[in-house]
Amino acid sequence: MAVGILVDCFFYELGHGHFVQSFFSTISYHFEKEGGGSKYPLLMNALYGEELKGEDVSIVMESLTEIKQELSKMSPEQVIWDFNDLSQRPPWGNKLSSKVTNLENYFSTTDGKTFIDKIRIAIEVAEENKCDL
């Protein structure tokens, strides 16, 4: 089942639930040393958790810029499939496309956009329409 972000009547698909969980697990594991949501509460607790209020989208946009820079410096082997069970590995193992060169582009959608770019698009639409995600 596809998971994504709903903004008004627009759905921005990210991918399978396990893959989306891996994205947020990777962020939390590598950047939130005091636990999930400690550094990026709006991204991790609001957007990933349930709902991000429209008035908070600019803060999340700033967080995404920082996360994008950091993930682009990390190798695909540093992916965390499940923060709750670090022994879990992606079902495809280490068999990756040659286009996957870092953790930022590891998390891509079927249309070729990265998760971060897709989330940014959803945020821009939410800002424009003054609504929640």
Side-chain angles (χ1 to χ4, degrees):
M1 177 197 301
V3 175
I5 300 171
L6 185 64
V7 180
D8 197 18
C9 64
F10 303 102
F11 183 71
Y12 298 90
E13 184 177 323
L14 295 177
H16 190 276
H18 293 297
F19 197 37
V20 174
Q21 179 183 349
S22 176
F23 173 72
F24 287 99
S25 289
T26 298
I27 291 168
S28 184
Y29 179 83
H30 289 294
F31 309 129
E32 298 188 313
K33 298 304 180 192
E34 275 115 54
S38 61
K39 185 171 183 180
Y40 304 113
L42 292 172
L43 178 69
M44 302 303 288
N45 299 333
L47 181 64
Y48 181 56
E50 188 172 328
E51 179 180 57
L52 177 66
K53 297 292 183 189
E55 62 263 15
D56 295 327
V57 296
S58 63
I59 296 167
V60 173
M61 195 69 99
E62 290 173 21
S63 297
L64 289 173
T65 299
E66 181 179 313
I67 291 166
K68 180 176 182 153
Q69 290 172 349
E70 294 304 314
L71 289 177
S72 69
K73 299 174 190 173
M74 301 174 76
S75 72
E77 293 79 25
Q78 292 177 278
V79 69
I80 301 299
W81 191 248
D82 183 344
F83 185 80
N84 296 311
D85 183 357
L86 297 177
S87 69
Q88 292 290 316
R89 302 303 310 151
W92 47 83
N94 291 329
K95 296 177 182 148
L96 300 173
S97 164
S98 60
K99 294 179 183 178
V100 177
T101 58
N102 59 57
L103 280 179
E104 197 270 327
N105 64 24
Y106 182 96
F107 296 102
S108 296
T109 62
T110 56
D111 64 0
K113 293 190 178 4
T114 67
F115 279 20
I116 291 176
D117 290 339
K118 195 74 131 191
I119 294 168
R120 281 182 167 168
I121 291 166
I123 287 173
E124 289 168 0
V125 170
E127 279 184 309
E128 187 176 311
N129 293 304
K130 297 179 180 30
C131 59
D132 302 335
L133 292 90

